[in-house]
Amino acid sequence: MRKAPAPYRYMIDEFLTPSFHFSISEYEVSRFHDLHGHEFFEMEIILSGRGTQILNGESSQLVPGSVYLLTPVDFHTIIPDPGFPLRLINLKFTEEWLDEELRLFLFRQPNRLSVRCEGEYLIYIEMECRRLLAECTASRIGKKQAIRATLDRLLVDLLRMIPTDLHTTIETSSSDVPERIKLRKALNYIDFHFREPITLKQAAAHTTWSPNYFSEKFSSIIGQSFQQYVQEHRLQYAHRLLHNSSLPVTEIALASGFNSLPYFIRCFKRKYGFSPSAGRPVL
């Protein structure tokens, strides 16, 4: 078996254009990190140490070889075990770096991409990160294309480590009728941008349908209107934040996509039967 690459320390923050943001870094986490989210994708590979991650309210153990991907609609915190600081590789990138079909695969997972890699697999991931580092630090032709290709390959390989038949899940689902397939890109767009002031017209632009026809097909296929679907996502996100953070209700409303606190409170009470402040756990 090959030896693992020697430890390396780096942080590369690459702006090829204002929208194409990519960074790669390695650092140590030795203290509790407050609950937070990002407006970009973040992937982390644990190299050593032990700890706990709380992702969207669910707890999981972090050990060497833990690899996970966070999307812009996720929030998490990391808690290292005392005496076992976490050394990790961190990748940050905007959605423009992802192949469109790959982005659909990633968002169709029942849970966020999270795997445990050992031995040769972990060595391979470190080597791919070195490839990304080399591409970032050099000025060569095809730099952006090489970064994207390496990132795509790494994510596809990680997806293949998940113990499910991804292609069967996606391609042969009984609910995957042709009309629903046409909705895939729009649903992906909504799932990714629901915290923003998105409109039906913006979502319809991700299909071949007019906004009016999109609205009709969306309701018939999904079983709820576009506005209801977006609001459901926002309320579920707010509910998770309420249970897993100490953020003020006003901040949670804004972070979830509501621009009016009274409207947020009314919608929340209608769905859950109690006010946001009354629904918080007693600490």
Side-chain angles (χ1 to χ4, degrees):
M1 181 181 292
R2 291 173 299 175
K3 292 183 178 180
Y8 47 100
R9 302 281 174 184
Y10 56 81
M11 178 175 285
I12 301 295
D13 210 358
E14 186 70 13
F15 287 91
L16 297 182
T17 69
S19 62
F20 276 81
H21 169 60
F22 178 87
S23 70
I24 181 168
S25 59
E26 182 194 352
Y27 53 85
E28 187 174 273
V29 177
S30 57
R31 61 178 179 80
F32 169 79
H33 272 212
D34 291 333
L35 188 75
H36 65 282
H38 301 289
E39 297 300 320
F40 44 78
F41 287 85
E42 180 178 46
M43 185 165 73
E44 293 185 327
I45 302 101
I46 306 300
L47 300 178
S48 64
R50 280 200 326 247
T52 302
Q53 175 179 228
I54 301 175
L55 171 60
N56 298 334
E58 295 188 5
S59 177
S60 61
Q61 293 300 305
L62 295 178
V63 296
S66 294
V67 182
Y68 50 88
L69 177 71
L70 307 173
T71 76
V73 297
D74 296 320
F75 54 87
H76 78 137
T77 185
I78 293 177
I79 310 167
D81 287 354
F84 295 90
L86 293 162
R87 186 167 65 92
L88 57 87
I89 297 172
N90 176 282
L91 305 175
K92 295 184 176 75
F93 48 92
T94 52
E95 66 175 309
E96 290 81 6
W97 287 98
L98 294 175
D99 170 83
E100 188 171 312
E101 287 300 313
L102 176 56
R103 193 162 65 243
L104 291 174
F105 287 167
L106 291 171
F107 267 86
R108 197 169 284 111
Q109 292 303 303
N111 299 301
R112 291 295 177 240
L113 174 59
S114 179
V115 297
R116 169 82 185 280
C117 303
E118 297 179 289
E120 291 290 323
Y121 285 115
L122 185 54
I123 292 173
Y124 157 74
I125 290 173
E126 288 197 58
M127 291 179 67
E128 289 292 86
C129 289
R130 283 184 174 276
R131 170 70 187 273
L132 288 168
L133 172 64
E135 292 294 344
C136 286
T137 54
S139 296
R140 297 183 289 186
I141 187 170
K143 178 176 182 176
K144 183 174 75 175
Q145 289 75 17
I147 293 174
R148 172 177 267 164
T150 304
L151 181 61
D152 279 356
R153 184 173 63 251
L154 180 57
L155 289 170
V156 167
D157 288 340
L158 290 170
L159 275 170
R160 288 174 174 175
M161 294 180 192
I162 297 175
T164 58
D165 190 338
L166 177 64
H167 299 289
T168 298
T169 302
I170 291 173
E171 300 302 334
T172 65
S173 171
S174 59
S175 63
D176 237 1
V177 294
E179 290 83 1
R180 188 179 181 91
I181 292 173
K182 292 179 182 179
L183 269 181
R184 282 179 177 177
K185 293 180 182 178
L187 291 172
N188 177 254
Y189 173 78
I190 297 167
D191 292 347
F192 184 64
H193 294 279
F194 69 84
R195 295 189 298 145
E196 304 168 17
I198 60 175
T199 65
L200 184 146
K201 184 177 180 180
Q202 289 172 322
H206 293 267
T207 69
T208 58
W209 300 329
S210 69
N212 286 340
Y213 191 68
F214 170 81
S215 178
E216 177 185 329
K217 297 303 292 184
F218 192 98
S219 296
S220 64
I221 294 170
I222 302 303
Q224 56 185 169
S225 70
F226 165 78
Q227 289 80 9
Q228 290 171 328
Y229 184 84
V230 173
Q231 186 176 102
E232 184 73 12
H233 274 52
R234 289 172 174 170
L235 288 171
Q236 289 175 0
Y237 186 82
H239 189 264
R240 292 198 304 269
L241 277 179
L242 281 164
H243 276 258
N244 295 281
S245 78
S246 58
L247 290 172
V249 172
T250 301
E251 288 187 31
I252 288 176
L254 292 173
S256 303
F258 292 90
N259 55 17
S260 165
L261 180 59
Y263 179 65
F264 166 65
I265 293 174
R266 286 200 305 273
C267 292
F268 192 94
K269 285 187 72 172
R270 190 184 309 125
K271 176 174 175 59
Y272 294 106
F274 46 80
S275 68
S277 57
R280 301 200 99 145
V282 178
L283 302 178

